[in-house]
Amino acid sequence: MTTVTRSRDEVDSALFDLQDVRIVAKKAHGGESTIVSSAALSVRRGESIGIVGESGSGKSMTAKALIGLLPPGVHASGQLLYRGENLLDADERRWQAIRGREVGLILQDPFTMLNPVMRCGRILEESLLPESIRDGRTPREEALRRLAEVGITDESVIDRYPFQLSGGMRQRVGIAAALCRDPRVLIADEPSTALDAATQREVLDLIKRIQQARGMGLILITHDLRVAFDTCNRLYVLYAGSLVEVGDAQQLQAEPLHPYTQGLLLSEPPVGRRVEKLVAMPGSVPIADEVQGKCTFEPRCRWAGPECRDGAPALAEVAPDRLSACVKLPEIRQEMNSLRTFAEQVAEVTAADRPEPILQVREVGKTFGAGTHGVRALDEVSIQVGRNESVGIVGESGSGKTTLARVLVGLETPTEGEIVIDGTTFGEWAKVRPEQRRTMRSNVQTVFQDPYSSLNPMRTVGWTLREAVVTHDHEAANPKQRVGELLEMVGLPAGYARRLPRALSGGERQRVAIARALAVRPKVLICDEPTSALDMSVQAQILNVLTTLRAEQDISYLFISHDLAIVRHVSEFVYVMYRGRVVESGPTDVVLDDPKHEYTRKLLESIPGEPG
């Protein structure tokens, strides 16, 4: 049972007050499975709280319980007090009166909030209450005012459909729609995860500004600790359906008081420095029912002992206004601090000449369409990757990063310019002799952002890897043995060859995708946002795997990312792209420590936690 002790004043002033909330789902063949075993939190007027944790921790289901949108077959018990009323006893009619008017919701993907067949103006007008339209304004005029509140001053947006807007613009319209009924509490469920760094900063600043101006309570659901530290006053750390730590955001950032929270912190590469190796937590989040009756984090904790398996630890006060569910904290606290100090040591970077290039792009351009309707996606782009060198490419969505990657592997044909791969120069893949093309495709492989979409869901891992092996080497002596070696390279047991992709976690699927790319023994691996869809701890595992593989396989990386912290960690040289052009390049630490171009500075300032 999780009970957070509060004063009478705190209880009375809380807009939302949860105590001992349990969320379960009915199983198809009877019985129930636990999603959230015990949750407790409160949010007051004008306060920002964050619920943080990895996928599977129960964050989003907690958010859905807060607004009465649990899916069929899932129900919650306990106390969910809103201004003194237990909403878990409310019927759907009461919830309809609560949603929008009392509690607003912003989702990760604005497409799920906005009707795709309605113009933005109509979406807002239908969300408005009669009493919200004042001073003689028409509904359209009020909709325009609401758009201006979220920073949209272009009045033509009101007549556009959601698909005609950029991701950041859609999210702004979604925020305006969520605020149309002037709610007292705003729930934001991963509102910036799908956005690039600059747009993410704009959306988060917008939410904070409006929340503070209106005095709303804000509940932010996120897996990104940088975002949580930058946005919230207080954090609730959720793991496998249980709260493991609660505290002031800045205090928690300075010293986490639970091994899981510390693991999340150390899994995230710092922006301002390069570290030797990320401290990755082993494994992944278990199902809540699998860890009942003990510390939920025990299977992954380096300090776990018999006492951690002897009943579920209570969430108890361990410092002023700090709660932790770690029974071993008094004896391991100093060691946790030492580990954090060790993990934060700056890696030494020795300046060196760039190695002989194995991949070069020479003044490559790419235009989609023709004439006045043509879109210039790449404009005289020149880059190079040396042997056993890791090169980063950074930029916002639309900067040309992915188009460049597609040109390099033959999925797009450049309009002009030339590419050199291991000494072979060409302008178009189609004009390369078949035998040369086969060799070059083996030399350059790609790991994509979404590993599930890049794996055949109907084929086992072993079949997928074996196909990659024999396709590029018809005379492979022992393909089965090679499959086992590939799995071992990426840190997976050979037995995973019998599994289907749906039986794997996101991190395990990405490891399989990397193994498939390695099956042809490439000289260059293009990594296109390979960790952006993963939790922080899984991201750290994958980045460490890539670091190890580079040392063992003598492989080069072209690492495409919008996350500057990751680029600093994995690359020695970086190119900054903006609107299809390279606007700055140089050794990674030099560029990120002393950027010369205004756009690079903007990217750095957009990082949560950095001065904006």
Side-chain angles (χ1 to χ4, degrees):
M1 178 179 290
T2 300
T3 302
V4 178
T5 304
R6 305 187 185 97
S7 68
R8 183 75 261 168
D9 288 343
E10 287 178 309
V11 173
D12 291 341
S13 64
L15 290 171
F16 262 127
D17 188 71
L18 277 72
Q19 287 289 352
D20 302 322
V21 169
R22 184 169 184 262
I23 303 174
V24 298
K26 292 181 180 179
K27 293 182 178 179
H29 303 292
E32 295 179 333
S33 61
T34 304
I35 299 172
V36 175
S37 57
S38 186
L41 62 85
S42 70
V43 60
R44 288 168 286 181
R45 178 179 172 83
E47 183 182 29
S48 303
I49 69 166
I51 303 176
V52 300
E54 299 170 273
S55 301
S57 291
K59 308 186 303 298
S60 290
M61 279 298 181
T62 301
K64 290 176 181 178
L66 288 170
I67 201 165
L69 290 176
L70 288 172
V74 179
H75 69 275
S77 59
Q79 282 197 323
L80 171 52
L81 300 178
Y82 175 70
R83 306 178 75 190
E85 175 187 2
N86 188 2
L87 294 181
L88 294 184
D89 297 331
D91 57 17
E92 180 57 25
R93 185 174 181 179
R94 176 62 181 139
W95 272 116
Q96 288 177 0
I98 291 288
R99 290 188 208 109
R101 187 190 297 263
E102 304 289 336
V103 185
L105 177 66
I106 303 171
L107 298 175
Q108 175 177 340
D109 183 0
F111 261 131
T112 61
M113 293 189 292
L114 305 176
N115 190 326
V117 298
M118 291 174 62
R119 298 181 191 273
C120 293
R122 188 180 169 199
I123 291 172
L124 296 183
E125 289 171 22
E126 290 198 351
S127 300
L128 290 168
L129 294 170
E131 58 267 31
S132 300
I133 306 173
R134 301 171 185 171
D135 302 326
R137 285 188 290 266
T138 65
R140 180 181 176 88
E141 289 171 338
E142 181 63 22
L144 286 170
R145 189 183 75 81
R146 299 285 178 153
L147 287 177
E149 184 183 26
V150 298
I152 299 177
T153 56
D154 181 358
E155 294 190 1
S156 68
V157 170
I158 202 169
D159 295 315
R160 297 183 198 171
Y161 291 98
F163 71 86
Q164 295 175 310
L165 306 177
S166 67
M169 191 76 80
R170 280 197 300 268
Q171 192 62 288
R172 287 173 181 268
V173 174
I175 293 170
L179 297 175
C180 270
R181 298 192 175 188
D182 303 315
R184 291 182 171 89
V185 179
L186 185 63
I187 300 172
D189 189 0
E190 301 277 11
S192 62
T193 299
L195 305 175
D196 58 59
T199 309
Q200 177 189 69
R201 180 65 178 249
E202 292 172 0
V203 168
L204 291 173
D205 285 349
L206 171 65
I207 291 173
K208 284 173 62 177
R209 176 175 58 79
I210 295 176
Q211 180 250 337
Q212 291 169 1
R214 292 188 174 204
M216 293 186 298
L218 173 65
I219 301 174
L220 177 69
I221 314 292
T222 183
H223 70 275
D224 191 327
L225 285 173
R226 285 198 300 249
V227 168
F229 293 144
D230 195 45
T231 309
C232 302
N233 308 122
R234 189 155 37 96
L235 298 184
Y236 293 80
V237 183
L238 196 62
Y239 181 78
S242 296
L243 282 174
V244 296
E245 184 168 358
V246 180
D248 174 84
Q250 302 310 311
Q251 292 179 4
L252 192 146
Q253 181 179 19
E255 185 190 12
L257 296 180
H258 192 281
Y260 175 62
T261 313
Q262 170 146 307
L264 284 180
L265 280 168
L266 298 186
S267 295
E268 193 166 11
V271 178
R273 63 191 182 280
R274 185 196 303 262
V275 295
E276 289 286 353
K277 187 177 182 181
L278 297 174
V279 181
M281 292 182 285
S284 57
V285 180
I287 298 171
D289 285 331
E290 293 178 353
V291 287
Q292 291 295 303
K294 65 177 182 179
C295 171
T296 55
F297 190 58
E298 182 270 338
R300 302 173 74 186
C301 183
R302 66 171 64 201
W303 293 288
E307 60 269 53
C308 305
R309 295 181 283 273
D310 187 19
L315 189 67
E317 189 171 53
V318 293
D321 298 320
R322 298 291 304 277
L323 305 176
S324 174
C326 180
V327 296
K328 298 193 70 174
L329 182 62
E331 62 181 277
I332 68 171
R333 187 170 180 176
Q334 185 58 49
E335 190 176 347
M336 286 174 61
N337 289 335
S338 298
L339 176 62
R340 195 163 61 253
T341 301
F342 174 78
E344 292 172 354
Q345 289 181 349
V346 179
E348 292 186 11
V349 180
T350 304
D353 294 333
R354 298 192 70 185
E356 174 192 1
I358 189 171
L359 182 151
Q360 291 176 283
V361 174
R362 296 174 178 168
E363 298 186 346
V364 162
K366 174 63 182 177
T367 301
F368 292 98
T372 57
H373 299 289
V375 176
R376 189 70 167 168
L378 296 176
D379 191 3
E380 297 183 353
V381 172
S382 296
I383 70 167
Q384 72 177 50
V385 180
R387 296 184 185 276
N388 195 229
E389 182 183 35
S390 183
V391 172
I393 298 181
V394 299
E396 297 173 274
S397 299
S399 62
K401 307 186 304 295
T402 296
T403 300
L404 177 60
R406 292 174 62 84
V407 166
L408 285 172
V409 295
L411 295 176
E412 297 288 354
T413 301
T415 309
E416 66 269 341
E418 61 183 19
I419 299 168
V420 183
I421 297 178
D422 200 22
T424 301
T425 303
F426 63 98
E428 298 180 24
W429 278 91
K431 295 182 179 179
V432 179
R433 293 196 309 272
E435 61 272 17
Q436 278 189 312
R437 190 186 315 148
R438 183 185 185 86
T439 299
M440 288 192 298
R441 288 196 186 279
S442 296
N443 284 338
V444 181
Q445 289 286 298
T446 307
V447 178
F448 295 101
Q449 178 176 346
D450 182 3
Y452 194 74
S453 64
S454 63
L455 299 175
N456 189 329
M458 305 302 293
R459 297 294 188 179
T460 65
V461 168
W463 187 95
T464 296
L465 296 182
R466 185 181 184 280
E467 182 192 40
V469 170
V470 300
T471 296
H472 291 271
D473 184 3
H474 298 298
E475 300 178 357
N478 192 336
K480 184 177 181 180
Q481 180 180 336
R482 177 64 177 158
V483 166
E485 292 171 352
L486 289 168
L487 289 171
E488 184 179 346
M489 279 183 195
V490 296
L492 293 176
Y496 271 51
R498 297 186 292 272
R499 298 192 181 188
L500 291 169
R502 65 172 177 267
L504 307 179
S505 68
E508 289 169 339
R509 285 196 290 265
Q510 194 60 288
R511 288 175 188 244
V512 172
I514 295 170
R516 184 178 62 180
L518 295 174
V520 299
R521 296 181 172 88
K523 296 179 180 179
V524 179
L525 198 60
I526 299 175
C527 301
D528 189 1
E529 301 275 13
T531 62
S532 62
L534 305 176
D535 287 313
M536 291 301 169
S537 69
V538 182
Q539 172 183 277
Q541 294 172 12
I542 297 301
L543 293 178
N544 285 341
V545 165
L546 290 172
T547 299
T548 302
L549 286 172
R550 183 180 166 204
E552 294 176 349
Q553 304 296 315
D554 194 30
I555 196 169
S556 301
Y557 291 145
L558 182 61
F559 206 98
I560 298 170
S561 179
H562 68 272
D563 191 320
L564 297 182
I566 290 178
V567 169
R568 185 191 286 272
H569 181 71
V570 301
S571 69
E572 296 92 57
F573 198 92
V574 66
Y575 295 90
V576 182
M577 292 190 66
Y578 177 60
R579 294 186 177 180
R581 297 182 67 91
V582 174
V583 296
E584 186 166 1
S585 64
T588 302
D589 291 320
V590 173
V591 170
L592 298 188
D593 289 340
D594 186 21
K596 302 301 183 185
H597 196 277
E598 180 181 352
Y599 177 68
T600 311
R601 291 194 291 270
K602 177 189 174 184
L603 288 180
L604 286 163
E605 292 167 357
S606 299
I607 299 169
E610 295 296 304

